Amino acid sequence: MIDRAVRRRRQALFLFFFLPGIAMSSWVTRTPDVRDQLGVSTGQMGLILFGLSVGSMSGILCSGRLVSRFSTRPVIALGTGLIIVSMVVIGVGSAASSAPMVAAGLCMFGAGMGAGEVAVNVDGADVERLTDTAVLPTLHGCFSLGTVIGGLIGMAATAAALPVAWHLTGVAVAAAGILVYALRAIPAGMGTKETSPATGTAQHSGPPVWRDRRLLLIGGIVLAMALAEGAANDWLPLLMVDGHGLDAALGSLVFVGFAAAMTLGRFSGTYFLNRFGRGAVIRASAVSGAVGLTLVIFSDSVVVAAAAVLFWGIGASLGFPVALSAAGDSGPDQTARVSLVATIGYVAFLVGPPALGFLGDHYGLRSAMLVVLVFVAAAIGIAPAADTRNPGVTRGSSSQGTPPGAPVSDMWPGERSSAADDRR
């Protein structure tokens, strides 16, 4: 049985994933309007989005140290607070036709996402350990659900010609209420350097986790799949408007379809993970993402391109959360391992996509997505690195002593005994 405190903590983490999803899709669906109000080109919009990259790198590079020193709770509060304030700054900057203000708002948003989301993932990995269930796919599903709801609201706001500033300020007010409500359920002290989430005892020094070859391959998986997700989040509405001739409202609708496919993939992911294992699921996801990207890039049919976005979304859905789970199971020092892979993922998710704007300005956004396609195709080959679960090895312990060719368990610890109890 899961005790009440852990249950409330898991529910709070659902909200802390849900909130950034709503916030991100809210301004993403308004990017055509923001661009028009600012009077900038696609390349100049990419330069404005560079503020997101600067903020993201700052937040990501600081997050691991902040968590080790102060624990996850204050870092989550700081990151979420920055996201809330950024919504207001982006909205006001758009209304004032101030590109520097919008860039500053995006910088704040990136810093909040980079710092807060790494901390939330560390906390989520610990909840997986406590509950012996695959929690991270569902948590990331809440992020995708947030993007769907935020995208629908953004699409309606676009169709109704609601000013961007009013729209984003309303999102900020709602998000502030969620922060106050959910933060109380996050325990203090989680993720600090002095204690290990897997054992509750002092951590012992060992070789740096970045020397672990398998962990770096897992990082490669998350880099590719997070780039696929982030590219859609930043550019999909404009890609459909500029690359396939849709109007802004329909471009937002296609983005909502992508977010819905992401949500479906993440909420159904636990079933497929338990049945087929991480490596097979990530490989199938990468194939689906590659097919979707290929059709969006090369097909001149609007209908085919819009439908292909669903394959893109399903393909990108599980790479990030499954890679984080694999990182937590890949050896000792779970916090450091999850932090490293989460950092790689958020660099790809938040920093990589703005760079695509510069390519899009010279070659078009459809051609710029070829970079994403190459990375996703590479993930197909390295997918087996995610198979880090071994029979008899508990979560957070080292699995490096497993003999080559040893079977990999497709079930989480505790699930096999539960299934046996059900049969009895």
Side-chain angles (χ1 to χ4, degrees):
M1 290 290 292
I2 301 174
D3 65 38
R4 186 169 179 267
V6 174
R7 198 161 51 242
R8 288 182 64 246
R9 179 183 176 190
R10 184 173 60 183
Q11 291 169 353
L13 291 174
F14 288 158
L15 291 174
F16 281 120
F17 273 87
F18 180 75
L19 189 155
I22 284 186
M24 174 167 279
S25 62
S26 293
W27 68 260
V28 166
T29 53
R30 304 308 299 270
T31 49
D33 291 329
V34 172
R35 181 186 63 177
D36 293 343
Q37 287 185 325
L38 297 179
V40 297
S41 66
T42 299
Q44 290 171 324
M45 192 66 183
L47 187 61
I48 292 169
L49 285 170
F50 187 67
L52 180 68
S53 300
V54 173
S56 300
M57 285 302 300
S58 300
I60 288 167
L61 293 176
C62 293
S63 182
R65 293 179 181 178
L66 289 174
V67 169
S68 295
R69 182 171 181 180
F70 299 107
S71 81
T72 58
R73 182 177 177 179
V75 179
I76 290 171
L78 173 64
T80 306
L82 286 173
I83 290 173
I84 292 169
V85 175
S86 74
M87 291 290 98
V88 178
V89 175
I90 294 170
V92 172
S94 177
S97 298
S98 172
M101 186 175 289
V102 172
L106 290 171
C107 182
M108 295 176 66
F109 184 91
M113 280 282 289
E117 291 301 288
V118 171
V120 173
N121 277 289
V122 170
D123 220 280
D126 188 57
V127 171
E128 281 195 334
R129 179 190 62 82
L130 291 172
T131 60
D132 283 342
T133 56
V135 173
L136 281 170
T138 304
L139 290 176
H140 283 259
C142 289
F143 175 85
S144 297
L145 179 62
T147 63
V148 171
I149 294 175
L152 288 171
I153 294 172
M155 184 179 65
T158 300
L162 182 70
V164 174
W166 293 10
H167 172 199
L168 297 187
T169 299
V171 172
V173 171
I178 293 175
L179 171 61
V180 172
Y181 170 78
L183 189 62
R184 294 173 294 179
I186 304 298
M190 170 58 206
T192 53
K193 188 175 183 180
E194 289 77 14
T195 60
S196 166
T199 65
T201 59
Q203 294 187 26
H204 299 286
S205 61
V209 293
W210 51 264
R211 293 184 182 177
D212 187 321
R213 181 175 176 274
R214 177 184 284 271
L215 189 64
L216 293 179
L217 289 175
I218 294 171
I221 294 169
V222 81
L223 187 152
M225 306 309 283
L227 179 62
E229 180 182 354
N233 282 337
D234 278 13
W235 293 111
L236 188 54
L238 280 176
L239 174 62
M240 299 309 296
V241 170
D242 293 349
H244 290 281
L246 295 181
D247 63 30
L250 287 177
S252 295
L253 180 61
V254 172
F255 172 76
V256 170
F258 171 86
M262 290 277 296
T263 304
L264 175 64
R266 283 174 169 169
F267 280 120
S268 62
T270 300
Y271 169 80
F272 293 101
L273 288 167
N274 288 337
R275 185 172 179 84
F276 300 108
R278 289 176 181 150
V281 167
I282 287 185
R283 176 168 287 169
S285 297
V287 169
S288 175
V291 169
L293 278 161
T294 299
L295 292 174
V296 169
I297 294 168
F298 294 106
S299 176
D300 291 324
S301 168
V302 175
V303 175
V304 171
V309 165
L310 301 179
F311 289 95
W312 182 354
I314 290 174
S317 63
L318 290 174
F320 205 150
V322 173
L324 289 175
S325 294
D329 283 341
S330 64
D333 198 353
Q334 183 190 48
T335 296
R337 289 174 177 272
V338 173
S339 294
L340 175 63
V341 173
T343 297
I344 293 172
Y346 281 111
V347 167
F349 181 73
L350 295 171
V351 179
L356 296 174
F358 297 102
L359 291 175
D361 197 39
H362 289 88
Y363 305 106
L365 283 174
R366 286 170 66 175
S367 297
M369 293 300 148
L370 284 169
V371 175
V372 184
L373 177 59
V374 169
F375 277 95
V376 172
I380 298 173
I382 60 176
D387 281 322
T388 52
R389 288 188 214 134
N390 297 302
V393 178
T394 57
R395 286 179 54 75
S397 64
S398 175
S399 59
Q400 294 176 359
T402 303
V408 177
S409 172
D410 289 337
M411 302 191 73
W412 291 81
E415 287 181 338
R416 193 175 300 280
S417 60
S418 296
D421 290 342
D422 289 341
R423 286 194 295 272
R424 289 197 296 270

